[in-house]
C-alpha cells in the first residue's frame, strides 16, 4: 500500500474526503495527493490568517512531506511548502532554519520557466459557443498567451522567494490572489499557479 493510500484517506490528518471535486479531479488525471496537497496548503494559509502559526506550521509540514514523497523532484509545488515554512521560521527569529528552507525552495524554483513552458493546459469552459470556437481555432495563440501570463506570476514568485529572509517585502500578492486566479480545471496550470500563489503574503 502506497503513502497516499495509507494517509490521504485519513480525514483527521488530511481533512480529505471523497466528493464531487475529487471525482472531477481524478477524471482529469489528478491524483488524490494532488488535491490533498492543495487542500492542506489552503488550510495552512487559513490558519496563518487566523494568527495560529503553530497550526499553520504543522499543516505546512504535512504538505511538505506529501510533496517530497509523491511529487517529482522538479515539481514547483515542492518549493511552495519550504517557502512558507521559511517565512514562518523567519518571523519566529529562527534565521538559520529559515535560510536553509529558502535555499531548498530556490533550488527548485530555478526550473520555473521550463516548468511553465511544459505545463499541460486543458480546455476552459466558455460563456458562449463563439468563444469556444475561437479558442479551438486559435489554440496555439491562447496557450502562448496563457503561458506568458503564468510566467509573469512565476517570475514574481521568484522575487518573493529571494526576499524571504531579507526582511524587505517585495509587495507581490500571493495567497490573497489564489481564489480569483485558481483555475476551474484540473491541469498543469492549476499546479503551477498553486505553487505560485499558495504562499503567505508579506
Amino acid at each position: 500500500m502506497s503513502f497516499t493510500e495509507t494517509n490521504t484517506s485519513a480525514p483527521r490528518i488530511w481533512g480529505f474526503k471523497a466528493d464531487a471535486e475529487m471525482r472531477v479531479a481524478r477524471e482529469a488525471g489528478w491524483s488524490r495527493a494532488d488535491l490533498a496537497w492543495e487542500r492542506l496548503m489552503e488550510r495552512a494559509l487559513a490558519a496563518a490568517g487566523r494568527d495560529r502559526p503553530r497550526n499553520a506550521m504543522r499543516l505546512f509540514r504535512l504538505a511538505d512531506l506529501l510533496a517530497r514523497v509523491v511529487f517529482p523532484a522538479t515539481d514547483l509545488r515542492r518549493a511552495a511548502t519550504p517557502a512558507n515554512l521559511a517565512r514562518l521560521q523567519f518571523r519566529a527569529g529562527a534565521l538559520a532554519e529559515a535560510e536553509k528552507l529558502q535555499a531548498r525552495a530556490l533550488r527548485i524554483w530555478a526550473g520555473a520557466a521550463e516548468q511553465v513552458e511544459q505545463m499541460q493546459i486543458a480546455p476552459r469552459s466558455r460563456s458562449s459557443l463563439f468563444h469556444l470556437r475561437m479558442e479551438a481555432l486559435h489554440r496555439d495563440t491562447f496557450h502562448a498567451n496563457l503561458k506568458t501570463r503564468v510566467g509573469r506570476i512565476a517570475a514574481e514568485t521568484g522575487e518573493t522567494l529571494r526576499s524571504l529572509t531579507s526582511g524587505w517585502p517585495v509587495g507581490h500578492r500571493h495567497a490573497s490572489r489564489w481564489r480569483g486566479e485558481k483555475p476551474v480545471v484540473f491541469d498543469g496550470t492549476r499546479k503551477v499557479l498553486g505553487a505560485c500563489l499558495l504562499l503567505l503574503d508579506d
Side-chain angles (χ1 to χ4, degrees):
M1 187 172 288
S2 70
F3 177 90
T4 52
E5 289 173 334
T6 57
N7 288 281
T8 58
S9 60
R12 188 173 54 156
I13 298 175
W14 301 111
F16 192 91
K17 60 181 180 180
D19 55 18
E21 186 180 37
M22 182 69 246
R23 288 193 294 274
V24 173
R26 292 299 293 272
E27 288 171 3
W30 272 38
S31 68
R32 292 175 65 86
D34 289 320
L35 197 54
W37 181 88
E38 188 177 282
R39 291 181 173 180
L40 277 171
M41 295 291 280
E42 290 173 338
R43 288 177 58 196
L45 290 169
R50 293 192 296 269
D51 197 24
R52 296 178 179 174
R54 293 181 64 182
N55 191 29
M57 185 84 75
R58 179 180 65 85
L59 291 167
F60 282 136
R61 282 175 173 156
L62 285 172
D64 188 44
L65 175 63
L66 177 61
R68 295 177 77 178
V69 169
V70 178
F71 299 160
T74 56
D75 194 309
L76 297 181
R77 292 172 294 179
R78 291 184 60 160
T81 41
N84 283 320
L85 289 168
R87 190 177 290 282
L88 289 177
Q89 293 286 8
F90 182 76
R91 290 175 180 175
L95 181 58
E97 181 63 19
E99 288 178 339
K100 183 170 70 173
L101 288 161
Q102 179 189 28
R104 176 152 65 93
L106 287 171
R107 281 195 299 271
I108 297 167
W109 210 260
E114 182 180 356
Q115 293 301 306
V116 169
E117 185 60 31
Q118 295 177 352
M119 68 184 180
Q120 175 228 357
I121 301 174
R124 267 60 175 162
S125 59
R126 296 296 169 188
S127 58
S128 70
L129 184 59
F130 170 78
H131 289 97
L132 190 62
R133 286 174 176 168
M134 289 300 291
E135 180 183 336
L137 286 170
H138 304 284
R139 182 164 287 118
D140 289 345
T141 300
F142 170 77
H143 285 188
N145 290 340
L146 182 57
K147 287 178 180 180
T148 297
R149 184 169 180 277
V150 174
R152 285 197 295 265
I153 296 173
E156 292 177 356
T157 301
E159 292 177 4
T160 295
L161 298 187
R162 289 188 289 274
S163 74
L164 288 173
T165 59
S166 69
W168 294 94
V170 293
H172 297 310
R173 292 169 51 241
H174 297 280
S176 58
R177 292 177 62 184
W178 171 242
R179 181 172 293 183
E181 296 281 359
K182 182 178 180 179
V184 296
V185 296
F186 295 91
D187 66 355
T189 64
R190 181 158 169 162
K191 293 178 182 180
V192 172
L193 285 172
C196 292
L197 299 179
L198 287 170
L199 296 176
L200 291 162
D201 286 319
D202 292 328

